[in-house]
Amino acid sequence: MTRRIAICAPSTPFSREDAARVSALAEAEFADLQLIFHDQCFATEGHFAGPDAVRLAAFVECANDPEFDAVWFVRGGYGASRIAVDALPLLGPSAHEKQYLGYSDAGTLLGLLYRAKIGLPVHAPMPTDIRRAGGEAAVRRTLGYLAGSHEGLEPSLDGRTPAAAFNLMTLAMLCGTSLMPDLSGHVVMVEEVAEYHYAVDRLLFHVTGCLASAGIAGLRLGRVSDVPENDRPFGCDAEAMARHWCGKTGIAFLGAGDIGHDIDNKIVPFGLA
Amino acid sequence: MTRRIAICAPSTPFSREDAARVSALAEAEFADLQLIFHDQCFATEGHFAGPDAVRLAAFVECANDPEFDAVWFVRGGYGASRIAVDALPLLGPSAHEKQYLGYSDAGTLLGLLYRAKIGLPVHAPMPTDIRRAGGEAAVRRTLGYLAGSHEGLEPSLDGRTPAAAFNLMTLAMLCGTSLMPDLSGHVVMVEEVAEYHYAVDRLLFHVTGCLASAGIAGLRLGRVSDVPENDRPFGCDAEAMARHWCGKTGIAFLGAGDIGHDIDNKIVPFGLA
């Protein structure tokens, strides 16, 4: 039975050329999947894939359409927070029957949907990963998951402890807002890209401080990549930072998580895998 | 009567040359002020002005010494969050009798001290502002305030509505943590420097979302300066962002605040001026 996957852009725009590459890969290797790129993926206005109202309408349309089995966010880059809260009251019964997949800025919507117990949010590679060298592997991982494979799951997931995965900045911005899900009992995985080491430390201060009283099962640190060079070295690496802040806040540091802004980014279904 | 001002570095280091320039300015123009730069201002370890323990000890020493009337933070740059919580239980009775002055990353300590009702935290230019072109004006503003002048106060302060001022990123990182002060009834001023427009919008999403239920009197937007150029324009300016997020969260947008990472940065005593 064919599964139909709607693709929309709550944050920044994609290109038709790269969409065609992703569609071709899916057609060649996943006969049971049908990808439908919403035209809104290619809209642009300033930073965003179209105005807030256009991005909102496309997401709600995809989520509410009973013909779709999943909504795949095409790309991150910032913008989902501008539509997330407005989207919530517009989501109907069909929105509850779906998987929602993405990462980075799309984590804003995953977090809100998880908080609202709507569908199954999944941290997973996005169509935009086709742009990375070897990015077919990342795209294929999500397509495989959508087709029913568990091969791409993050390896520490044990099937008994609920989990969630976020870009560190994205989670930091959700903390304390009305979008923040209840992560009690969860293993929380975080990854970061293109932030100075001092900024990573600052984000870990904030996130561990906010999660200190949330009763999470522990923190796993994904990859912290493409760190810009500062005028001086920070003095310790990201794992030492995570250990420091977990220690200060009484959060269990559980080691590495196999997620990141790269082609090896693994799949983390929110809750139990 | 001479007022003695202790200067320490909770975040990043200063230089002896620039300290000498600030001291010379104070000696020449403010006969009633005596500046004492703690040697820790010139310590370095990685990103920081010495290890956490050294920065902590210097701050606590300055705050607890009854010979000092005020503690002036020499510079921001990140690091205060690593010593703030540990400092709190170490502060004795003399710490309550002091003014604490600074901005940018030093706002982390101002926020915590305000939460704990210890002394008078004051958003104010720092010794490091001597490095800006025309920076003597900024340094002079704080020295004047320490000597009893009200000339450098932020002009919207009305003496009836309590206020607080923060770097936007610094406040964003405090939100939801055990360092966050109660800002109910307060005019909250924020300013930012060297962040992309999309990052400013993201921070405003977070801060207004966190403050939505805090009952603040309203938000004033200081200057958002040195915005890096992105690969595409964001689509609106910082004031439009502030209006957007205040509108979404039911916070009154009160207009501009006369603060920023520049020589015109005005003084905002926390609470009533």
Side-chain angles (χ1 to χ4, degrees):
Chain A
M1 198 184 75
T2 298
R3 300 195 78 218
R4 302 184 77 231
I5 317 300
I7 302 173
C8 65
S11 310
T12 61
F14 204 44
S15 72
R16 292 192 188 273
E17 294 72 20
D18 290 325
R21 292 170 62 201
V22 172
S23 292
L25 192 158
E27 280 169 35
E29 302 183 24
F30 297 89
D32 293 343
L33 298 182
Q34 187 185 356
L35 305 189
I36 300 96
F37 281 88
H38 195 294
D39 262 352
Q40 178 268 326
C41 289
F42 316 111
T44 63
E45 183 178 273
H47 180 84
F48 304 109
D52 291 353
V54 169
R55 304 198 314 284
L56 172 68
F59 167 61
V60 170
E61 182 188 331
C62 293
N64 283 343
D65 189 333
E67 296 295 307
F68 294 129
D69 299 286
V71 178
W72 197 11
F73 302 119
V74 76
R75 192 180 164 203
Y78 183 63
S81 63
R82 283 188 156 249
I83 68 167
V85 172
D86 290 339
L88 201 56
L90 304 176
L91 298 179
S94 290
H96 286 256
E97 307 301 316
K98 286 185 174 64
Q99 295 168 314
Y100 298 88
L101 305 99
Y103 70 107
S104 194
D105 190 61
T108 304
L109 284 166
L110 302 184
L112 179 64
L113 292 166
Y114 195 55
R115 175 192 175 105
K117 302 189 198 306
I118 295 176
L120 175 60
V122 182
H123 168 101
M126 298 184 288
T128 192
D129 286 300
I130 200 80
R131 293 173 170 178
R132 302 184 192 279
E136 292 82 0
V139 172
R140 195 177 281 125
R141 192 173 301 120
T142 297
L143 292 171
Y145 178 79
L146 284 166
S149 167
H150 282 192
E151 263 181 44
L153 290 180
E154 202 280 339
S156 74
L157 298 175
D158 63 7
R160 299 183 308 274
T161 317
F166 289 96
N167 170 258
L168 179 59
M169 176 68 82
T170 302
L171 178 58
M173 297 295 102
L174 292 181
C175 284
T177 73
S178 64
L179 291 75
M180 181 72 179
D182 177 3
L183 296 176
S184 61
H186 287 60
V187 173
V188 178
M189 303 188 200
V190 293
E191 56 80 31
E192 193 49 276
V193 64
E195 294 285 348
Y196 287 105
H197 265 151
Y198 71 81
V200 172
D201 195 69
R202 190 166 60 187
L203 288 168
L204 286 168
F205 151 66
H206 175 62
V207 165
T208 58
C210 288
L211 292 179
S213 58
I216 68 170
L219 187 85
R220 280 189 182 274
L221 184 65
R223 287 174 289 283
V224 175
S225 57
D226 293 343
V227 178
E229 198 167 338
N230 203 356
D231 53 1
R232 57 196 187 280
F234 183 74
C236 72
D237 64 14
E239 183 183 323
M241 297 176 206
R243 287 186 185 279
H244 171 85
W245 287 113
C246 283
K248 286 279 184 194
T249 52
I251 291 173
F253 180 68
L254 303 175
D258 192 4
I259 61 169
H261 270 66
D262 54 45
I263 64 169
D264 296 319
N265 187 25
K266 298 302 190 297
I267 289 170
V268 182
F270 281 35
L272 288 174
Chain B
M1 198 184 76
T2 298
R3 301 193 79 217
R4 303 184 77 231
I5 317 300
I7 301 173
C8 65
S11 310
T12 61
F14 205 43
S15 72
R16 292 191 187 273
E17 294 71 20
D18 290 324
R21 291 169 64 200
V22 172
S23 292
L25 192 159
E27 280 169 35
E29 302 183 24
F30 297 89
D32 293 344
L33 298 182
Q34 188 185 355
L35 305 189
I36 299 96
F37 281 88
H38 195 294
D39 262 353
Q40 178 267 327
C41 291
F42 316 111
T44 63
E45 182 179 274
H47 180 84
F48 303 109
D52 292 352
V54 169
R55 303 199 312 286
L56 173 68
F59 167 60
V60 170
E61 182 188 330
C62 293
N64 283 342
D65 189 334
E67 296 294 308
F68 294 130
D69 299 286
V71 178
W72 198 10
F73 301 119
V74 76
R75 194 182 164 201
Y78 183 63
S81 64
R82 283 188 157 250
I83 68 167
V85 172
D86 289 340
L88 202 56
L90 304 176
L91 298 178
S94 290
H96 286 256
E97 308 300 316
K98 287 185 174 61
Q99 296 169 314
Y100 298 87
L101 304 99
Y103 71 105
S104 194
D105 191 60
T108 303
L109 283 166
L110 302 184
L112 179 64
L113 292 165
Y114 195 54
R115 177 191 175 104
K117 301 188 199 306
I118 295 176
L120 174 62
V122 182
H123 168 99
M126 297 183 289
T128 191
D129 286 300
I130 200 79
R131 293 173 170 178
R132 302 184 191 278
E136 292 82 359
V139 172
R140 195 178 281 125
R141 191 172 302 120
T142 297
L143 293 172
Y145 177 79
L146 285 166
S149 167
H150 282 192
E151 263 182 46
L153 291 180
E154 203 279 339
S156 73
L157 298 174
D158 63 7
R160 300 183 308 275
T161 317
F166 288 97
N167 170 259
L168 179 59
M169 176 67 83
T170 303
L171 178 59
M173 298 295 102
L174 291 181
C175 284
T177 73
S178 64
L179 291 75
M180 181 71 179
D182 177 3
L183 296 176
S184 61
H186 287 61
V187 173
V188 179
M189 303 188 199
V190 293
E191 55 81 32
E192 192 49 275
V193 64
E195 294 284 350
Y196 287 105
H197 266 151
Y198 71 80
V200 172
D201 196 70
R202 190 166 60 187
L203 288 168
L204 286 168
F205 151 65
H206 176 61
V207 165
T208 57
C210 288
L211 291 179
S213 57
I216 68 170
L219 188 84
R220 280 189 182 274
L221 183 65
R223 287 173 291 282
V224 175
S225 57
D226 293 345
V227 178
E229 198 167 339
N230 203 357
D231 53 2
R232 57 196 187 280
F234 183 73
C236 72
D237 64 14
E239 183 183 324
M241 297 175 205
R243 287 187 186 279
H244 172 84
W245 288 112
C246 283
K248 286 279 183 196
T249 52
I251 291 174
F253 180 67
L254 303 174
D258 192 5
I259 60 169
H261 270 65
D262 53 46
I263 64 169
D264 295 319
N265 187 24
K266 299 300 191 298
I267 290 169
V268 182
F270 282 34
L272 288 174

